[in-house]
Amino acid sequence: KTERETGGGRMEIRQLQEGDDISAIANILALCWKEAYGNFIPRGYMDKMRTDRWEETFRQRENRVYILWEEGRYCGVACACMIREGDMAGWGEIVSLYVLPECWGRGYGKALLRFAMQALGEMGAGPYYLWVFQKNANARRFYERQGFRATGVQQVLEIGGANVTEEMYVLKEKR
């Protein structure tokens, strides 16, 4: 658990617990998708988006879910896991990292990312990787500032009838 004073009050980052409001946490993802991906994922898909699509991910045991809480509300969420099989066994994956749009620029994403990587590191994971939508320039810059580097490895996903390219980013040193 991490706590610190911020301009808005006390920020807390911790692992998801029994009794946390999964719907409110999943809503962070929906709001972020609409704000950050609206220029490359079809609007019709975004308009029909349901928050329950992420709730199951938060309940899966192999995923560690970390929440950022401030001002009496959930402000951010990260999902991470340790890869146990294949060529990347021992690596930590940052599956997702989202902070409410109105909280962007406050350092919450950086704090949440560091917390997730530290937790994975304590489980023996490292190095770390994640996938970033190629057209999400803000996220790419954010991860590059945190030391992640694009690998050139890409995958194309079909989302709402559009082909969307993701690129793998890695951070080789343990944190």
Side-chain angles (χ1 to χ4, degrees), residues 107-162:
Y108 293 176
K110 181 178 178 180
L112 196 52
L113 177 64
R114 287 184 185 275
F115 187 90
M117 289 191 315
Q118 180 180 344
L120 287 171
E122 289 170 1
M123 295 185 318
Y128 308 94
Y129 79 100
L130 49 84
W131 292 92
V132 181
F133 287 129
Q134 197 171 47
K135 291 186 177 180
N136 189 349
N138 289 336
R140 292 168 68 95
R141 280 190 300 273
F142 168 78
Y143 289 117
E144 288 166 3
R145 283 193 310 268
Q146 307 316 310
F148 282 82
R149 296 293 170 244
T151 63
V153 175
Q154 298 180 349
Q155 63 184 4
V156 178
L157 307 174
E158 188 277 321
I159 302 176

Side-chain angles (χ1 to χ4, degrees), residues 88-93 120 124-129 170-174:
M88 297 183 83
W91 285 60
E93 179 181 6
L120 287 171
Y128 308 94
Y129 79 100
V170 298
L171 179 69
K172 298 258 175 151
E173 69 264 13
K174 279 193 166 197

